[in-house]
Amino acid sequence: MYLQLFASSPVKPIPLAEALKISLDNYYALLKIQVGSFQANEFLQLKLVADILDISGTWPANAPAGAHFYPWHSVFLMLDQADRQIVPAPIVGGVESGAERMTNAYGTFLQKLMRYVVTKDLTLEQQASIANWQQQIRGLNDQSLSLAMADRQKWNGYALAMGLSPTDASAYLQWSGQFGSQQTIAQIYGQVKQLQNNIQMLYDSVTPDPSDKEIVDTYNAFNNPLQRLRYPLYEDFLYDTGRQFSPGSLGGLPLGDTAQFSDRRAVTFDPFLDSIKTGAMGHFTAHWDRTTQQSSEISTDWKASGSGGWGPFGASVSVEDSKKITNDFKTVTSIDLAAAAAFRAKIVYPTWFNPTLFSHQHVKDNISDFAEFFGTTGSLLYYATALILVRGFSAGFANSQAWTYDYKEHFSASGSAGFNCLGYNFGASAAYSSDVHEHQVDIANTTLSFSDDAATVRFVGYAVKKVTVMEESLNFHFRRSGLY
C-alpha cells in the first residue's frame, strides 16, 4: 500500500509500512457498517474528496437566544449535492456525481413515459405539437439559467465594487432593472408557463387507463410550481428577512433563478440540521496494524477492484519534502481512524419524484426506448437516496521511530502543503469556511494525528440506488429465447 505524493514534478509512490493491510476497501467496510440500513440494490458510493458541509450554528451575538442562522442556505447546499446525476461508471468502489441535475434527466424521463399514456388517444399532429412545445421549454429553461448565472457574477462584482451586500434586495432590484436580466427571466418563465399550459390542456383531453393514473399524477406534481422553493444562495443572516424564511415565504417569491435565490424542486432531509450538527449516531474508532485482514467489500458490492484509481493517503509537497516523508512513513506501525458521528442524511422526496415508475409496465414493454436512462451509461441508472456525512473525523499514525518532518507547520490550515487521508483534506487544500473551525495537526514523538474540529461535518459520499429494470428485462428476454 502506498502513500501517493503529488507535486509539480513526477514523484514516485512512497511505501506506507507495507506490512499494513489498510486500503480503501477497509475504510469502505468500516463506513458501511456505521451508516447501515442499506437496502437491496443500494450501495455506498465514496467521494474522492470529502467536502466540508457548511452547516450553521447560531445567529450573531445580538440575535435572539437560541435562534438558528442560515438553515435554509444549509439545506440548499445539501439539496445541491443531492440533485446530481450519478455517473454510472464505478471508480474504486464508487460512482461519480456529475454536474448535471438529476431533476433534468428525471423530467425528460417523465415526458417520454407520458407519451405511452396518451399516444393512443392523441392525433399525430397533437403529439408533434407536444414534442415541439417540450423542446421549446428545454431551450427556454437553458436560456433562463444562463441569464441567471451571468447575472449572479455581474451582480456580485457590482455589489463588491459599490460596497453593497449581495443580499440587499432593494439595491439588487434597482441594479437588475438597469443592468440585469430579471425582467427577461420573468418573461421567459411566462412563456414556459404558457407552453406547459398548452401541453396540460392536451393531456387533460385524454382519459388515461386507471393503471396510468400514477404516471399522470407524478407528471403533474413534477410541473407544479408549488413543489418548488426559491433557496437563498447566501447565509440566511445576510438577508434582511432571513429570520422569516420559511417554505411559505420562499415559495411565495417570484418563480425563476435570480442572483439572490435559486429556484429548485424541494426535498427534505432526515435527520435534519440540528441532529446532523450534534448527534452521535455512527460514532466509531478503528485500529489497523500488521494483523489487520484485507477487506473485499467494494469488490463484492461493485464487482470491481477497490484497490486502484487513487491512494487512501496522499500529500501535496515538494519533491525534496517527499523524500523526508518517505522515510517517516516506511516505519509506520498502525493507523487509527475515529469520528464523532457517521450517518445517512436520507433524502426525502415529495410526490414529484416517484422511482416506482422506473419499473412501470410501459418501461418494460418498451425497454430499448429507455436505454438512455437505465442502460449501462444511463442518466438514471443510479440515483441518490441519502448523503453520507461524517462529523469530527480524525486519523492517527503510530511510528516505530520519531517523526522527522515538521507536519504541524506544513499541514496546518494555513500551511503550504496538503495532506489527504481517505478523501479528507487537511492543510492548505482543506478549504475551511468561515463557519468551520480549523483542523488540528499534532505530533508527539512517535504519534502523528490529523483531526477535524468536533463540529466539522464532511460530505463523504452517497447511498445510491441502482435501477435494475433494464437488466431484468434483458435477462427475461434471454431466458425466454433459451440464450441464458
Side-chain angles (χ1 to χ4, degrees), residues 405-413 415 440-443 448 450:
Y405 186 73
D406 193 343
Y407 297 90
K408 191 165 187 176
E409 176 183 354
H410 291 91
F411 295 121
S412 68
Q440 297 295 318
V441 181
D442 293 307
I443 185 168
L448 169 67
F450 299 84

Side-chain angles (χ1 to χ4, degrees), residues 244-465:
Q244 286 75 50
F245 282 168
S246 67
S249 66
L250 296 174
L253 294 173
L255 287 169
D257 291 305
T258 68
Q260 295 182 327
F261 294 91
S262 180
D263 188 342
R264 306 290 282 273
R265 287 175 178 82
V267 301
T268 56
F269 296 90
D270 179 23
F272 201 58
L273 300 184
D274 286 346
S275 296
I276 291 173
K277 196 73 174 177
T278 61
M281 56 288 242
H283 165 80
F284 67 79
T285 57
H287 177 84
W288 288 275
D289 57 27
R290 292 182 175 85
T291 66
T292 301
Q293 292 184 346
Q294 288 182 303
S295 172
S296 61
E297 287 283 338
I298 293 177
S299 303
T300 301
D301 283 358
W302 292 100
K303 300 180 177 63
S305 173
S307 61
W310 60 285
F313 305 96
S316 176
V317 295
S318 67
V319 174
E320 181 180 352
D321 285 352
S322 74
K323 296 177 182 178
K324 300 175 183 177
I325 298 175
T326 296
N327 292 327
D328 275 351
F329 275 85
K330 280 182 177 178
T331 51
V332 167
T333 58
S334 65
I335 302 171
D336 292 277
L337 301 181
F343 51 94
R344 300 164 56 114
K346 181 183 177 182
I347 304 168
V348 183
Y349 293 103
T351 56
W352 62 261
F353 184 73
N354 183 1
T356 63
L357 296 181
F358 296 158
S359 57
H360 193 278
Q361 194 61 43
H362 287 313
V363 176
K364 295 178 180 178
D365 292 342
N366 304 276
I367 195 65
S368 61
D369 288 349
F370 291 90
E372 64 177 295
F373 306 107
F374 310 123
T376 55
T377 58
S379 57
L380 293 174
L381 180 59
Y382 296 95
Y383 64 92
T385 56
L387 304 182
I388 306 301
L389 307 178
V390 172
R391 194 182 75 252
F393 176 83
S394 66
F397 301 87
N399 203 324
S400 62
Q401 303 178 22
W403 301 89
T404 61
Y405 186 73
D406 193 343
Y407 297 90
K408 191 165 187 176
E409 176 183 354
H410 291 91
F411 295 121
S412 68
S414 58
S416 59
F419 187 87
N420 180 286
C421 176
L422 297 157
Y424 298 79
N425 285 328
F426 297 94
S429 60
Y432 284 80
S433 67
S434 58
D435 186 55
V436 182
H437 297 289
E438 293 182 356
H439 63 262
Q440 297 295 318
V441 181
D442 293 307
I443 185 168
N445 196 22
T446 60
T447 302
L448 169 67
S449 64
F450 299 84
S451 57
D452 277 336
D453 182 84
T456 298
V457 179
R458 302 265 194 165
F459 168 41
V460 303
Y462 295 97
V464 295
K465 187 83 169 182

